[in-house]
């Protein structure tokens, strides 16, 4: 898909970007991780702005850019109702629930969603919560691996299987070294790049196509 020179440039960018993320993990590990709460709970003191960006960096990923966009093109803009519902729920969560959940979590020293459901509904609720979370995150993690493998396949020609293995190794290493705090700040970087990139891509498409009517057709 890309000439060899472009593959080399794109591959170098991907490699350098990973080393940047790994260096950020190591820096955060050395500079601000002293306790269990620092590593596993980001010290319980992350402000709203990086939280928003980490949600963008996590939610606006492979399924959104590679999946919803194709569905919108093939099936029509009705597919965007899923995004609209997520937006509405996210706003309601941010304004009315996040602070309350944070206070309850700090008061009872909670770590997982299972801790919350166990407090609210009893210990018997913990196992169904864990199972549902595992099923959901198997799908989410699988989409992340596939998205990274797709990028590696398109840019430097790696097979999808090799790309999935590489993405698993790289994501595990950078998460292991930095903990939740590094993941949040890395996702903040991702969220910023993705947001700016999507708008730049939109305007670039307008310029190439000539006008919006051509894109609509």
């Amino acid at each position: 898909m890309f000439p060899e020179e472009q593959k080399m440039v794109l591959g170098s960018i991907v490699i350098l970007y990973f080393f940047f993320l790994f260096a950020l993990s190591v820096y955060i590990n050395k500079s601000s991780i002293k306790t269990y709460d620092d590593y596993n709970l980001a010290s319980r003191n992350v402000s709203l702005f990086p939280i928003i960006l980490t949600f963008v960096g996590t939610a606006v990923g492979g399924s959104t850019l590679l999946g919803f966009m194709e569905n919108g093109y093939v099936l029509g803009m009705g597919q965007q109702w899923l995004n609209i519902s997520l937006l509405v729920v996210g706003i309601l969560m941010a304004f009315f629930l996040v602070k309350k959940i944070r206070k309850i979590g700090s008061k009872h020293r909670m770590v997982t969603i299972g801790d919350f459901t166990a407090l609210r509904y009893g210990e018997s609720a913990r196992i169904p919560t864990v199972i549902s979370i595992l099923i959901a995150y198997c799908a989410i993690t699988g989409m992340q691996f596939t998205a990274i493998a797709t990028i590696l396949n398109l840019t430097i020609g790696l097979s999808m299987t090799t790309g999935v293995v590489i993405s698993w190794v790289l994501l595990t290493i950078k998460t292991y070294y930095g903990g939740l705090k590094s993941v949040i700040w890395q996702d903040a970087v991702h969220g910023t790049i993705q947001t700016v990139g999507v708008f730049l891509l939109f305007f670039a498409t307008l310029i190439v196509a000539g006008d919006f009517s051509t894109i609509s057709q």
Side-chain angles (χ1 to χ4, degrees):
M1 177 172 288
F2 296 99
E4 288 301 319
E5 290 184 2
Q6 291 183 3
K7 282 186 177 181
M8 185 177 296
V9 172
L10 292 170
S12 299
I13 291 173
V14 171
I15 293 170
L16 289 173
Y17 189 65
F18 165 72
F19 277 110
F20 163 73
L21 296 178
F22 181 71
L24 183 60
S25 292
V26 173
Y27 170 76
I28 290 175
N29 181 288
K30 298 296 184 182
S31 63
S32 59
I33 295 179
K34 308 297 181 184
T35 66
Y36 174 84
D37 276 3
D38 293 337
Y39 181 84
N40 220 35
L41 300 169
S43 307
R44 297 183 186 266
N45 63 358
V46 180
S47 58
L48 182 61
F49 185 65
I51 286 292
I52 291 173
L53 287 176
T54 195
F55 271 109
V56 172
T58 304
V60 183
S63 61
T64 305
L65 296 179
L66 300 179
F68 289 160
M69 298 303 101
E70 180 184 358
N71 287 343
Y73 179 77
V74 174
L75 303 174
M77 292 301 289
Q79 297 295 306
Q80 296 305 318
W81 278 109
L82 179 57
N83 287 328
I84 294 170
S85 65
L86 291 173
L87 174 64
V88 172
V89 171
I91 292 173
L92 292 175
M93 283 280 293
F95 281 98
F96 298 106
L97 296 178
V98 168
K99 285 187 176 180
K100 292 182 178 180
I101 293 172
R102 185 172 186 170
K103 287 180 179 178
I104 294 173
S106 298
K107 178 180 178 182
H108 297 277
R109 308 299 297 172
M110 292 180 179
V111 177
T112 67
I113 296 176
D115 292 336
F116 181 84
T117 55
L119 176 70
R120 180 67 178 81
Y121 301 105
E123 283 295 325
S124 58
R126 190 182 295 276
I127 293 178
T129 302
V130 170
I131 293 173
S132 63
I133 294 287
L134 282 175
I135 293 173
Y137 272 85
C138 282
I140 292 171
T141 306
M143 287 188 291
Q144 291 177 338
F145 290 167
T146 303
I148 295 173
T150 301
I151 293 171
L152 294 175
N153 175 261
L154 293 175
T155 54
I156 58 179
L158 283 179
S159 69
M160 290 296 292
T161 302
T162 304
V164 167
V165 173
I166 289 175
S167 64
W168 162 63
V169 171
L170 298 185
L171 290 176
T172 301
I173 289 174
K174 76 180 186 63
T175 303
Y176 171 78
Y177 272 95
L180 182 60
K181 185 173 290 188
S182 73
V183 170
I184 289 174
W185 283 106
Q186 288 169 6
D187 283 345
V189 175
H190 302 331
T192 303
I193 292 174
Q194 286 174 316
T195 303
V196 173
V198 166
F199 281 101
L200 289 177
L201 182 61
F202 173 73
F203 289 113
T205 306
L206 278 178
I207 293 171
V208 172
D211 54 40
F212 188 77
S213 61
T214 305
I215 296 176
S216 179
Q217 292 172 5

